[in-house]
Structures are given as structure tokens and as C-alpha cells.
């Protein structure tokens, strides 16, 4: 995912994406899986922000629903889709807080922008 | 209002890109920084590996050895912070000035509608310099901070400037985010 010079063993983003979309991939480097979780959360945040903005979902419910959905989806992706033991990547807490700040901000910006558009029209 | 929202997202993207670009020019591309970062990465991984191998031990010698390694790591981290500090300070000042310019452009303008009612201390930001009692009106600064949070972190990750996970694990407790994440106002 980064532009720094890659060693021959370091995966490119296309191979990582292929592994991320296939079930039960092998992840020798757990940080690679956490990177997938990070970017997955970004995409999910955009999606949820868009849907909640259009619906429109308002109030504390919108925030709590996002936190619950993002944590549960990340956990299910790792344990059920990739069949990786949660403890190998640091447990439920580590998975939940992986890129949480950036993903939450992405969600808020999308939610607010779409909601503003809906309210304006 | 939508145009303002999109403009603010654009501004946040532009300033984050400029900030990272200038930091690259002044810090990231220098050989000394690269050396320090490689050294830090190596030491952090070594320490993590050792900690895993040892586990929970009561052996005083091993504990002392680990503490020494941690001290070394802290010293390298200090060197790295000192190296970054001057240029970060200059960039911080420049971007604070830029922020106040944008702030005055959007002064008193409702840039978005919030889909939630912000709690006490958030209202100070989300309703800054706005007239009226409708707390769902959003000011420039609140949206700008949110945009900067997401854009900066993602940009750092894409460009490979974000600190490695092993390094972040060693440096911060679960409750404290890495210091770079706190520079939202830059």
C-alpha cells in the first residue's frame, strides 16, 4: 500500500487485494492483514456514511450503529471469512481500534456531507 | 451548503498534501532521518521478538537486558523527534496562519447541517462563531478538523510516511494515539 521501495518478498497492493477478496487466504505477515482491515474500514465507512446520510439516520443512534457495524464486520471478516485466529492479530480490541480514528472521521465527513445535500433538497 | 462542504474537503486535501510534501522535503528524504527510521524499525522489531520469546519471566538478568534495549529505543526515538521538531514547528506555524485565513473566509457561515445534536464541549467547535441557537448548524472549523483527520492519516499511509505498527505499539498505550494523529489543525 505504500510507495516506499519494496523488497522482493514484500507484497504489492494488487496481490494483497487479491488475497483480501479471496476467502481463507494465508497471511504470514499479520500486519498485511491489519492493513487490509484498515482500508476495508475506510471503504465501509464511506458506504455506511452514504447510506445513513440518504436514509437519513440521525442522532446518537447513527454514531452507535456505525461503531457496532464497523467492529462486528472487521471481526467477522478476520475470523469467519479469512479464518484467522483473532488472537493472532491482537484480539477483538486490537481489531476494533485498527484505524478507528481515520475511519470514524471518514464516516462523519460522508454522513454530514450527504445529509447536508439531502436536507438542502 | 454542499458546495462549502466539498470546498472544505478540497482545502483539507490540499493542505494535507502540501504539509506532507514540505515534510518530505525537509525531513523524510534526508539521509539522517532515513538512517534513524531504519535503526528504529530494526530495534523495535528486535525488542518485540525478544519480548515474545521471553514471555513472562522473573529472571532479573533478562528483565534488565530488556530494559536496556528499551532505553536504547527511547534514545533513538528522542533523536528522531529532535530531528523532526524544527521543521515540524515551522510547518505548524505556516499552517496555523493558513487556517486562520480560511477561518476568516468562512466566519459566521453555516457550512453544513449536522445529523446529530453535538454534546457540550463539541458545540464549542461545531458552532464556533455562528449566530443562532440551532446546534445542528456546523461551522468551518469542525468539518475541517474531521476532514484533516481522515485525509492526513490516509495520505501518510498511502505515501508510506506513517510509523510502522511495531513502532506505534512500543510508543503508545491503547488510550493514547500516536502524536502525529493529534496535529489535526495543521
Amino acid at each position: 500500500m505504500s510507495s516506499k521501495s519494496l523488497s522482493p518478498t514484500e507484497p504489492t497492493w494488487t496481490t494483497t487485494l487479491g488475497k483480501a477478496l479471496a476467502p481463507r487466504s494465508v497471511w504470514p505477515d499479520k500486519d498485511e492483514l491489519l492493513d487490509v482491515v484498515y482500508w476495508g474500514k475506510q471503504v465501509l465507512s464511506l458506504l455506511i456514511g452514504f447510506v445513513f446520510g440518504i436514509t437519513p439516520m440521525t442522532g446518537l443512534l447513527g454514531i452507535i450503529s456505525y461503531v457496532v457495524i464497523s467492529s462486528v464486520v472487521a471481526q467477522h471478516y478476520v475470523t469467519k471469512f479469512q479464518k484467522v485466529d483473532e488472537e493472532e492479530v491482537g484480539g477483538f480490541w486490537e481489531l476494533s481500534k485498527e484505524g478507528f480514528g481515520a475511519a470514524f472521521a471518514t464516516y462523519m465527513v460522508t454522513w454530514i456531507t450527504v445529509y447536508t445535500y439531502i436536507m438542502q433538497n | 451548503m454542499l458546495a462549502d462542504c466539498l470546498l472544505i474537503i478540497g482545502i483539507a486535501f490540499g493542505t494535507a498534501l502540501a504539509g506532507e510534501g514540505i515534510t518530505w522535503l525537509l525531513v523524510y528524504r534526508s539521509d539522517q532521518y532515513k538512517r534513524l527510521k531504519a535503526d528504529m524499525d530494526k530495534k523495535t522489531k528486535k525488542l518485540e521478538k525478544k519480548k515474545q520469546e521471553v514471555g513472562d519471566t522473573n529472571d532479573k538478568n533478562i528483565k534488565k537486558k530488556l530494559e536496556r534495549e528499551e532505553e536504547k529505543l527511547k534514545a533513538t526515538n528522542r533523536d528522531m523527534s529532535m530531528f523532526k521538531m524544527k521543521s515540524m514547528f515551522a510547518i505548524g506555524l505556516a499552517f496555523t496562519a493558513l487556517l486562520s485565513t480560511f477561518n476568516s473566509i468562512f466566519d459566521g457561515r453555516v457550512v453544513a447541517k449536522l445529523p446529530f445534536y453535538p454534546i457540550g464541549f463539541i458545540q464549542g467547535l461545531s458552532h464556533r462563531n455562528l449566530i443562532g441557537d440551532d446546534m445542528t448548524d456546523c461551522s468551518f472549523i469542525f468539518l475541517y478538523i474531521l476532514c484533516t483527520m481522515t485525509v492526513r492519516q490516509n495520505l501518510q499511509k498511502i505515501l508510506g510516511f506513517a510509523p510502522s505498527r511495531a513502532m506505534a505499539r512500543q510508543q503508545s498505550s491503547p488510550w493514547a494515539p500516536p502524536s502525529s494523529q493529534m496535529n489535526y489543525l495543521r
Side-chain angles (χ1 to χ4, degrees):
Chain A
M1 289 283 167
S2 71
S3 61
K4 65 189 168 194
S5 57
L6 301 171
S7 66
T9 51
E10 213 164 331
T12 60
W13 73 270
T14 40
T15 52
T16 306
L17 184 66
K19 273 164 73 177
L21 295 175
R24 298 179 189 212
S25 302
V26 182
W27 302 92
D29 181 10
K30 295 300 168 219
D31 281 354
E32 194 188 355
L33 178 59
L34 285 175
D35 275 341
V36 170
V37 171
Y38 177 94
W39 290 110
K41 274 190 182 178
Q42 289 293 326
V43 176
L44 187 72
S45 303
L46 268 176
L47 214 70
I48 300 176
F50 199 77
V51 173
F52 282 10
I54 286 181
T55 323
M57 172 94 83
T58 56
L60 196 62
L61 186 69
I63 296 171
I64 293 173
S65 305
Y66 165 75
V67 175
V68 171
I69 293 173
S70 112
S71 307
V72 169
V73 169
Q75 201 241 0
H76 271 243
Y77 172 77
V78 171
T79 57
K80 301 270 164 41
F81 188 71
Q82 292 297 345
K83 299 277 181 197
V84 171
D85 183 11
E86 203 179 48
E87 292 310 315
E88 280 182 48
V89 282
F92 179 76
W93 172 241
E94 197 66 39
L95 270 179
S96 301
K97 76 180 176 77
E98 174 58 38
F100 179 79
F104 185 68
T106 305
Y107 163 69
M108 290 292 273
V109 171
T110 321
W111 189 30
I112 293 170
T113 309
V114 176
Y115 179 79
T116 303
Y117 174 72
I118 296 293
M119 285 296 114
Q120 222 178 354
N121 297 284
Chain B
M1 271 198 279
L2 183 73
D4 285 340
C5 269
L6 297 177
L7 183 64
I8 292 167
I9 295 172
I11 288 172
F13 195 80
T15 49
L17 206 61
E20 289 309 309
I22 296 170
T23 316
W24 178 80
L25 270 177
L26 296 175
V27 180
Y28 297 143
R29 72 173 183 152
S30 76
D31 288 334
Q32 195 187 345
Y33 181 80
K34 279 181 194 162
R35 215 174 29 247
L36 279 169
K37 193 165 189 279
D39 192 26
M40 185 89 185
D41 276 339
K42 211 173 79 187
K43 279 182 184 161
T44 312
K45 277 187 184 152
K46 208 171 131 191
L47 182 67
E48 246 193 3
K49 212 173 158 188
K50 262 191 190 163
K51 271 187 179 171
Q52 266 179 1
E53 278 170 9
V54 170
D56 286 329
T57 180
N58 289 323
D59 193 328
K60 272 186 184 170
N61 279 337
I62 295 174
K63 267 190 175 174
K64 258 189 191 166
K65 217 175 167 185
L66 280 178
E67 270 170 25
R68 258 205 309 276
E69 294 268 349
E70 265 176 31
E71 282 304 316
K72 271 189 206 165
L73 195 70
K74 274 181 195 161
T76 316
N77 190 26
R78 229 181 354 256
D79 289 347
M80 215 160 103
S81 305
M82 285 301 283
F83 184 73
K84 275 166 92 175
M85 204 174 70
K86 255 193 238 163
S87 46
M88 287 296 192
F89 187 69
I91 296 166
L93 269 181
F95 280 88
T96 309
L98 204 64
L99 178 72
S100 62
T101 312
F102 288 128
N103 224 347
S104 58
I105 293 173
F106 288 96
D107 196 30
R109 210 148 105 193
V110 178
V111 296
K113 264 289 184 205
L114 295 177
F116 57 93
Y117 193 88
I119 49 166
F121 70 98
I122 306 265
Q123 283 177 12
L125 273 180
S126 70
H127 208 259
R128 179 165 289 189
N129 294 342
L130 295 184
I131 307 162
D133 292 331
D134 186 358
M135 287 302 160
T136 58
D137 285 347
C138 178
S139 68
F140 160 79
I141 193 78
F142 184 65
L143 195 61
Y144 179 77
I145 289 173
L146 282 176
C147 291
T148 312
M149 268 171 84
T150 168
V151 173
R152 251 176 70 88
Q153 225 170 310
N154 286 336
L155 212 59
Q156 281 187 340
K157 215 163 165 62
I158 290 171
L159 298 174
F161 296 155
S164 72
R165 278 202 179 77
M167 225 149 91
R169 269 196 295 269
Q170 288 297 323
Q171 280 171 9
S172 64
S173 74
W175 308 103
S179 58
S180 66
Q181 287 179 21
M182 296 309 289
N183 302 330
Y184 299 141
L185 295 176
R186 267 195 28 208

